């Protein structure tokens, strides 16, 4: 889908949950690579205009659209509005996420339903709508370093990210040959809300490279996937090798 110098110039990307944190970093990295960006947000109304302004300052077009992705009809409407504003969407980044603390024994059906809606149903709806345009494209889903082993203290999150892993591989087959579908699986990158970098430092020993990453490590992987014309259905673990240890705890 790319021109000879692997630029994203002329492409439009929709990034979910892009008002803050890794979504914001990804939206800006795509803009730096030449893409116009539809910046989706939920509660980040105060932050999202700054992201749009930064994209515009890079010489790219930006549009902001709110949607609560727990609601399937809002996911449908998000793509409708993105297409109305931009004309076409070439790249979809399914980044939006919730990270509730729960276990298999105490999770509530409501929290599980929210996690599935945000991590699996909305990505499915948005991906189908991207494909329905009938043009070439690329999708990158945001998973988690622990997606293939176990995260006992975030059970709703883990179950729903596992759905997104399965969906990544299913869509890679179903949407080929026009659309490549891949994923990144971040490890220790940003501390959870309310924690600082000491959270990352304290856990750095849990991965083989004994360090923690940063937003650039993630956006580099995303850009690699978007520029790779012969890669689909893959997951890049950006986690210092933590997934190789397959530990249940830690
Ligand atoms: N940070 C890490 O180190 C790390 C590690 C492993 C995996 N990941 C994965 O990488 C991705 C980005 O991580 P992150 O820490 O930057 O994510 P995050 O801050 O937990 O969430 C990203 C965005 O999701 C949006 N969101 C939450 N509930 C929503 C809803 N109901 N409807 C629509 N959007 C909603 C929020 O948008 P608003 O702010 O606008 O409400 C939020 O800013 C996630 O998929 C996460 O699972 C991250």
């Amino acid at each position: 889908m790319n021109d000879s110098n692997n630029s994203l110039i002329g492409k439009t990307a929709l990034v979910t949950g892009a008002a803050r944190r890794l979504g914001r970093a990804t939206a800006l990295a795509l803009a730096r690579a030449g893409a116009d960006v539809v910046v989706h947000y939920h509660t980040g109304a105060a932050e999202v205009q700054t992201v749009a302004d930064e994209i515009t300052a890079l010489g790219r077009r930006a549009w902001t659209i709110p949607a609560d992705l727990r609601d399937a009809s809002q996911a449908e409407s998000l793509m409708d509005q993105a297409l109305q504003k931009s004309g076409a969407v070439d790249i979809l980044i399914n980044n939006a996420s919730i990270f509730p603390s729960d276990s298999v024994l105490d999770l509530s059906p409501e929290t599980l339903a929210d996690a599935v809606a945000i991590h699996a149903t909305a990505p499915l709806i948005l991906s189908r709508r991207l494909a329905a345009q009938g043009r070439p494209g690329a999708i990158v889903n945001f998973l988690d370093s622990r997606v293939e082993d176990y995260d006992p203290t975030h059970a709703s999150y883990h179950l729903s990210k596992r759905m997104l892993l399965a969906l990544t591989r299913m869509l890679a087959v179903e949407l080929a040959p026009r659309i490549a579908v891949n994923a990144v699986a971040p490890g220790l990158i940003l501390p959870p809300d309310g924690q600082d970098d000491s959270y990352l430092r304290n856990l750095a020993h849990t991965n083989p490279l004994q360090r923690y990453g940063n937003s650039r490590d993630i956006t580099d992987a995303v850009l690699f996937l978007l520029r790779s014309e012969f890669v689909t259905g893959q997951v890049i673990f950006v986690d210092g090798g933590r997934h190789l240890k397959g530990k249940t705890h830690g």
Side-chain angles (χ1 to χ4, degrees):
M1 64 170 291
N2 305 305
D3 63 19
S4 54
N5 66 3
N6 285 337
S7 150
L8 302 183
I9 289 171
K11 308 293 179 194
T12 297
L14 166 58
V15 185
T16 66
R20 299 186 251 246
R21 292 169 56 89
L22 292 184
R24 172 183 180 278
T26 303
L28 292 172
L30 296 186
R32 272 184 223 105
D36 298 327
V37 187
V38 180
V39 186
H40 158 262
Y41 67 101
H42 177 222
T43 62
E47 292 88 349
V48 75
Q49 193 52 49
T50 309
V51 180
D53 290 346
E54 288 176 278
I55 292 168
T56 309
L58 290 164
R60 303 297 157 206
R61 294 185 297 169
W63 304 270
T64 64
I65 304 177
D68 183 346
L69 296 178
R70 290 173 296 186
D71 175 352
S73 68
Q74 293 194 36
E76 298 276 5
S77 162
L78 169 59
M79 187 56 93
D80 284 343
Q81 293 177 63
L83 293 173
Q84 261 170 20
K85 287 174 188 277
S86 67
V89 175
D90 309 285
I91 294 165
L92 169 63
I93 310 292
N94 286 306
N95 163 79
S97 182
I98 55 173
F99 192 51
S101 295
D102 56 16
S103 73
V104 172
L105 299 183
D106 70 15
L107 67 79
S108 77
E110 293 77 19
T111 304
L112 178 60
D114 286 350
V116 168
I118 294 167
H119 297 148
T121 311
L124 171 59
I125 289 169
L126 294 169
S127 299
R128 287 198 309 217
R129 299 295 301 276
L130 180 91
Q133 295 174 96
R135 27 189 303 135
I139 298 169
V140 178
N141 295 324
F142 275 57
L143 301 175
D144 186 283
S145 161
R146 283 189 272 198
V147 71
E148 288 191 316
D149 40 85
Y150 187 33
D151 182 349
T153 58
H154 300 95
S156 299
Y157 173 85
H158 180 74
L159 278 165
S160 53
K161 288 285 184 178
R162 277 201 170 227
M163 282 184 72
L164 187 54
L165 169 63
L167 189 62
T168 299
R169 293 170 175 158
M170 292 162 78
L171 288 175
V173 174
E174 296 293 339
L175 302 187
R178 275 188 295 109
I179 297 172
V181 186
N182 291 290
V184 292
L188 276 176
I189 304 289
L190 298 179
D193 264 351
Q195 304 265 12
D196 60 22
D197 280 1
S198 63
Y199 172 92
L200 303 173
R201 275 194 299 277
N202 291 339
L203 287 173
H205 72 278
T206 60
N207 67 66
L209 293 182
Q210 300 195 359
R211 57 192 299 164
Y212 56 93
N214 58 45
S215 302
R216 176 72 188 270
D217 295 312
I218 299 300
T219 58
D220 281 353
V222 171
L223 288 170
F224 167 78
L225 290 170
L226 293 177
R227 289 167 168 155
S228 302
E229 294 183 332
F230 200 44
V231 177
T232 197
Q234 292 303 306
V235 180
I236 300 184
F237 286 85
V238 186
D239 68 346
R242 203 220 60 82
H243 67 287
L244 299 169
K245 297 174 79 173
K247 287 173 69 173
T248 298
H249 296 268

